[in-house]
Amino acid sequence: MHYLGLAYFTPERFATLPPDDVKALVSQCPALDAAMRATGKVRLSASLGDLDTWATLRPRDGKTHVSDGPYAEAKEVVGGLFIIEADSRDEALCLAAMHPAAQIGEEGGWAVELIPMPFYLPG
């Protein structure tokens, strides 16, 4: 089974952190990401761009309407994603727990949501 991991953060909380704290926090991520990838179970891993560069496309009156920003107004927003392949839910939870947003970043409101993907078609 494949699972989608969504790594969340809280922009308002993250924005209050001193730059040196952000740098120290982010500097821990590569080693954690590498350990997760070393399992051989990661199929995709990505960070998302700054919120002010996002766009939302919606159908309206037979045309596509484009607006700036994330789709939904939310306290927490997705900052990254990953897809893993696991033999069980327990294994998937163990793998997802290796992601930086599940281990560090409490002060920035980091969290991981793990979602089963019954259908997965690799590109």
Side-chain angles (χ1 to χ4, degrees), residues 24-35 37 98-101 104 110:
L25 180 63
V26 172
S27 72
Q28 298 175 65
C29 293
L32 294 170
D33 285 331
R37 283 192 314 275
M98 297 176 76
H99 191 275
I104 59 174
W110 285 10

Side-chain angles (χ1 to χ4, degrees), residues 29-47:
C29 293
L32 294 170
D33 285 331
M36 189 174 166
R37 283 192 314 275
T39 67
K41 299 281 189 163
V42 177
R43 302 295 168 249
L44 176 130
S45 182
S47 294

Side-chain angles (χ1 to χ4, degrees), residues 11-109:
E12 293 79 19
R13 286 177 61 183
F14 208 77
T16 65
L17 297 176
D20 286 343
D21 290 358
V22 172
K23 185 177 179 180
L25 180 63
V26 172
S27 72
Q28 298 175 65
C29 293
L32 294 170
D33 285 331
M36 189 174 166
R37 283 192 314 275
T39 67
K41 299 281 189 163
V42 177
R43 302 295 168 249
L44 176 130
S45 182
S47 294
L48 304 181
D50 293 330
L51 294 175
D52 60 358
T53 65
W54 290 23
T56 299
L57 292 77
R58 293 187 176 122
R60 287 222 177 110
D61 300 321
K63 296 181 181 178
T64 303
H65 174 75
V66 179
S67 59
D68 291 337
Y71 171 72
E73 296 283 330
K75 183 174 89 170
E76 297 172 327
V77 296
V78 178
L81 59 96
F82 58 91
I83 294 175
I84 55 176
E85 185 174 359
D87 295 327
S88 68
R89 181 176 187 269
D90 286 342
E91 181 185 25
L93 289 169
C94 288
L95 292 165
M98 297 176 76
H99 191 275
Q103 292 192 38
I104 59 174
E106 180 179 348
E107 60 275 24

